[in-house]
C-alpha cells in the first residue's frame, strides 16, 4: 500500500490535499461560525461563470476565474452585509446566474467542450508545480492574516454589534472574509472541485465545533480532520481506482456520521451516569 | 446641576417605512439611573441602538458626551439582550470578557496582563470567576447574563446601557443584580430597559416611557402612587401574567 508514496503524482496530491485542508480548515471555521455556508456555496457555484469567461476569452484560468469570482463575492458582500440572515434569495439568484453564464460562455466557444465533471470533482492527481506554489503562498497568507485579526474575528462572530462598539472594523473584516472565501474556493476548485470545497469547508469545522474550546483549537482540529479525510480518500481512490474527489467526500461523510453517532452516545452515557 | 451625558433632540426613526420613534427628546445627566419602559416593539431597544450609533436616525440629533455617537459610543458599556448572542461559538467565559478589553484605535491584537487582571476583577465582582474556563454554550441564562455585564464593565465605561438584563434571571439573581447596579451607579450613569416595575420604583431616579414617543418622568414623580399617577400606555409583564398598570397619555 505504502509503495504508492514513491509516485510523484501521489505525493503531490497528498501535499495539495494538505494545503487545501489548511485553507478549508481555517476559512471553513470562519464560514461555519459566521453562518456563511450558503454564501460560500453561492460563491463556489458562481465561480463557474469565471471558468466559462476564461475559456471564451482565452485568458488564463486562474486570473479569469479569480477576477470574476472576487467581483461576484464583492457584490454578494455588499448586498448581504446589512441583512446577513435574510439574504438567501439574493445569494440563490447570483448562484444560478453565475453557473448559467458559465454554461453559455462555454456554448459560445467554438469547438470547446469542457468537462463539467472535472469542475465538480476536480483532478487532484494532475496538479502542477505552479498550483503548489500558489496554494502554499495563499495558505501562509491566510494563516498570518487570520492570526493577526484573530481576536477581532472571534469578537465579531460572537456579537457583531458589541464588536463594532469596541472599534472592530466589522465591515472591513466581513469584506475581507468574503474575499478570502472567494480565493480559497477558486484555488481549491482547480485541484479538488466544487463539491469537495463545500464538503471540506463545512464537515471538518462542524465536527471540530463540538470538541473545541476556542476558535483557535476549532481551526486546528478542522485542519487536522480535513487532512485526515483527504489522505484517507486519496488512498482509497488509488487502491480501488475511484474518482479521488468523490472518495475524499465519502471519507469526510463517514467522519461526519461517526461524530454524530459519538455525540449521541456520549449524551446517553451522561444521562445514565449523573 | 450635574453634567449632561446624553442629549437627544427631535429624534425620528422608521424601520422599512414603519415609524418606530418620533419626536423623541431626552437629556440624561451624570450618575442618573434611568429606566426605559414600554410595550414590546415600542422602540426601547431601537432608542438604545440609536444612542450607541448602531442605527442612524432619519431625523434629529444625538450627542453623547457632546460628540456624535460614533465618536463616543466606546465610552458606553453595552449589555445587549442575551438572545442575539452566537451561542454555538467555541469561546470560554474569560474569552468573552476579554472581548470587552479591546479599546478602539488600539492596535494591540493580543491581551496583555493588565487586560487579564481587569477581566478577573469584573468577573469576581459578578461572581463568575469560577466559570472562566467554561465554554459559553454550557452556561445558564443567568450566568450568560452576568457574563455580558462583565464584558460591558471590562470596557471601563462611564455609562452603562442594559437591555432587559433580568429576562433570564431568577428572583434571587435579580436582587443581586440590582444591588450591583445600585453600587455601580455611584460611579456611572445607568440606562436600563426593563419590564420589571419593582426595579423602576425602587432603584431608578427617573423613568422614560417609550412607545413611539417618549415621555419622561423625573424623580419627583416616582412615588408609591406612581403606578396610578403615571399615564403611560404600557402593558407590563409581572409575575407571569400581563396587567395594565398605567393609564393612557393624553395626546
Amino acid at each position: 500500500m505504502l509503495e504508492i508514496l514513491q509516485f510523484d503524482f501521489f505525493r503531490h496530491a497528498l501535499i495539495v490535499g494538505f494545503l487545501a485542508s489548511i485553507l478549508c480548515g481555517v476559512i471553513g471555521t470562519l464560514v461555519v461560525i459566521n453562518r456563511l455556508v450558503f454564501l460560500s456555496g453561492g460563491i463556489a457555484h458562481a465561480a463557474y461563470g469565471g471558468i466559462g469567461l476564461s475559456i471564451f476569452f482565452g485568458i488564463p484560468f486562474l486570473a479569469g476565474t479569480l477576477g470574476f469570482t472576487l467581483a461576484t463575492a464583492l457584490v454578494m458582500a455588499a448586498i448581504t452585509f446589512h441583512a446577513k440572515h435574510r439574504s438567501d434569495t439574493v445569494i440563490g439568484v447570483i448562484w444560478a446566474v453565475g453557473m448559467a453564464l458559465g454554461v453559455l460562455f462555454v456554448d459560445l466557444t467554438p469547438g470547446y467542450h469542457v468537462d463539467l465533471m472535472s469542475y465538480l470533482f476536480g483532478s487532484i492527481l494532475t496538479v502542477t508545480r505552479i498550483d503548489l506554489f500558489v496554494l502554499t503562498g495563499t495558505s501562509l497568507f491566510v494563516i498570518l492574516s487570520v492570526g493577526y485579526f484573530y481576536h477581532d474575528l472571534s469578537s465579531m462572530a460572537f456579537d457583531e454589534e458589541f464588536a463594532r462598539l469596541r472599534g472592530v472594523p466589522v465591515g472591513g473584516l466581513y469584506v475581507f472574509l468574503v474575499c478570502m472565501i472567494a480565493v480559497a474556493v477558486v484555488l481549491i476548485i482547480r485541484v479538488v472541485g466544487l463539491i469537495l470545497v463545500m464538503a471540506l469547508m463545512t464537515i471538518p469545522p462542524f465536527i471540530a465545533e463540538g470538541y473545541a474550546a476556542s476558535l483557535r483549537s476549532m481551526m486546528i482540529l478542522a485542519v487536522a480532520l480535513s487532512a485526515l479525510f483527504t489522505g484517507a480518500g486519496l488512498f482509497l481512490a488509488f487502491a480501488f481506482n475511484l474518482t479521488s474527489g468523490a472518495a475524499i467526500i465519502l471519507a469526510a461523510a463517514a467522519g461526519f456520521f461517526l461524530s454524530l453517532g459519538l455525540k449521541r452516545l456520549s449524551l446517553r452515557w451522561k444521562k445514565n451516569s449523573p | 446641576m450635574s453634567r449632561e451625558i446624553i442629549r437627544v433632540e427631535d429624534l425620528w426613526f422608521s424601520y422599512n417605512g414603519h415609524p418606530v420613534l418620533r419626536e423623541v427628546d431626552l437629556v440624561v445627566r451624570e450618575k442618573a439611573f434611568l429606566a426605559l419602559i414600554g410595550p414590546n416593539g415600542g422602540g426601547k431597544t431601537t432608542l438604545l441602538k440609536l444612542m450607541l450609533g448602531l442605527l442612524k436616525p432619519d431625523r434629529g440629533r444625538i450627542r453623547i458626551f457632546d460628540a456624535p455617537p460614533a465618536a463616543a459610543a466606546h465610552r458606553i458599556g453595552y449589555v445587549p439582550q442575551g438572545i442575539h448572542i452566537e451561542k454555538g461559538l467555541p469561546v470560554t467565559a474569560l474569552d468573552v470578557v476579554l472581548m470587552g478589553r479591546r479599546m478602539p484605535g488600539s492596535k494591540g491584537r493580543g491581551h496583555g496582563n493588565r487586560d487579564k487582571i481587569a477581566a478577573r476583577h469584573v468577573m469576581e465582582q459578578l461572581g463568575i470567576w469560577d466559570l472562566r474556563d467554561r465554554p459559553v454554550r454550557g452556561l445558564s441564562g443567568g450566568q450568560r447574563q452576568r457574563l455580558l455585564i462583565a464584558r460591558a464593565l471590562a470596557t471601563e465605561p462611564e455609562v452603562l446601557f442594559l437591555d432587559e438584563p433580568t429576562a433570564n434571571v431568577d428572583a434571587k439573581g435579580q436582587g443581586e443584580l440590582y444591588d450591583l447596579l445600585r453600587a455601580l451607579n455611584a460611579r456611572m450613569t445607568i440606562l436600563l430597559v426593563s419590564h420589571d416595575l419593582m426595579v423602576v420604583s425602587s432603584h431608578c431616579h427617573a423613568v422614560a416611557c417609550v412607545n413611539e414617543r417618549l415621555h419622561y418622568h423625573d424623580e419627583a414623580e416616582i412615588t408609591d402612587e406612581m403606578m396610578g399617577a403615571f399615564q403611560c400606555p404600557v402593558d407590563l409583564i409581572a409575575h407571569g401574567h400581563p396587567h395594565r398598570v398605567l393609564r393612557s397619555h393624553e395626546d
Side-chain angles (χ1 to χ4, degrees), chain A residues 32-156:
Chain A
V32 166
I33 60 164
N34 286 295
R35 304 279 177 268
L36 295 175
V37 174
F38 193 64
L39 181 119
S40 311
I43 294 175
H45 285 82
Y48 193 62
I51 294 176
L53 200 77
S54 311
I55 293 168
F56 182 73
F57 288 108
I59 36 182
F61 167 88
L62 197 60
T65 314
L66 200 57
F68 181 86
T69 312
L70 272 176
T72 318
L74 285 174
V75 170
M76 283 197 200
I79 295 174
T80 57
F81 178 61
H82 291 291
K84 263 180 220 147
H85 302 286
R86 302 205 45 208
S87 46
D88 43 354
T89 313
V90 177
I91 294 171
V93 170
I94 298 179
W95 174 314
V97 169
M99 284 214 84
L101 274 181
V103 172
L104 290 185
F105 275 126
V106 172
D107 281 350
L108 293 175
T109 311
Y112 197 95
H113 296 286
V114 74
D115 180 11
L116 194 62
M117 282 297 281
S118 79
Y119 163 71
L120 291 178
F121 289 98
S123 43
I124 198 171
L125 299 177
T126 59
V127 165
T128 64
R129 207 164 268 277
I130 294 170
D131 291 327
L132 270 183
F133 287 137
V134 175
L135 261 181
T136 310
T138 312
S139 302
L140 275 177
F141 174 74
V142 163
I143 291 172
L144 291 178
S145 53
V146 169
Y148 184 73
F149 289 115
Y150 178 77
H151 291 290
D152 285 358
L153 283 168
S154 62
S155 182
M156 177 171 102

Side-chain angles (χ1 to χ4, degrees), chain A residues 197-209:
Chain A
V197 179
M198 291 321 295
L200 281 189
M201 275 209 182
T202 49
I203 295 177
F206 176 83
I207 300 173
E209 197 177 23

Side-chain angles (χ1 to χ4, degrees), chain A residues 33 35 148-149 151-152 154-155 157-159 161-162 164-169 209-210 212-215 218, chain B residues 49 52 54 73-74 78 80 85-86 88-92 96 99-100 102-104 109-111 137 151 155:
Chain A
I33 60 164
R35 304 279 177 268
Y148 184 73
F149 289 115
H151 291 290
D152 285 358
S154 62
S155 182
F158 184 71
D159 182 350
E161 289 185 332
F162 187 88
R164 197 157 9 136
L165 290 178
R166 298 321 302 158
V168 173
E209 197 177 23
S214 70
L215 209 52
M218 181 173 162
Chain B
K49 288 188 179 177
L52 288 164
L54 293 171
H74 64 278
Y78 179 41
I85 299 308
E86 182 52 58
L89 192 73
V91 285
T92 62
V96 171
M99 287 173 189
R102 188 195 196 281
M103 300 301 159
R109 301 292 165 186
H111 300 295
R137 59 189 155 202
R151 181 183 64 166
T155 67

Side-chain angles (χ1 to χ4, degrees), chain A residues 172-213:
Chain A
L173 277 182
Y174 181 66
V175 171
F176 171 72
L177 183 57
V178 172
C179 289
M180 299 254 273
I181 295 171
V183 173
V185 159
V186 170
L187 290 183
I188 296 169
I189 283 178
R190 172 87 175 94
V191 290
V192 294
L194 151 67
I195 309 273
L196 189 57
V197 179
M198 291 321 295
L200 281 189
M201 275 209 182
T202 49
I203 295 177
F206 176 83
I207 300 173
E209 197 177 23
Y211 300 95

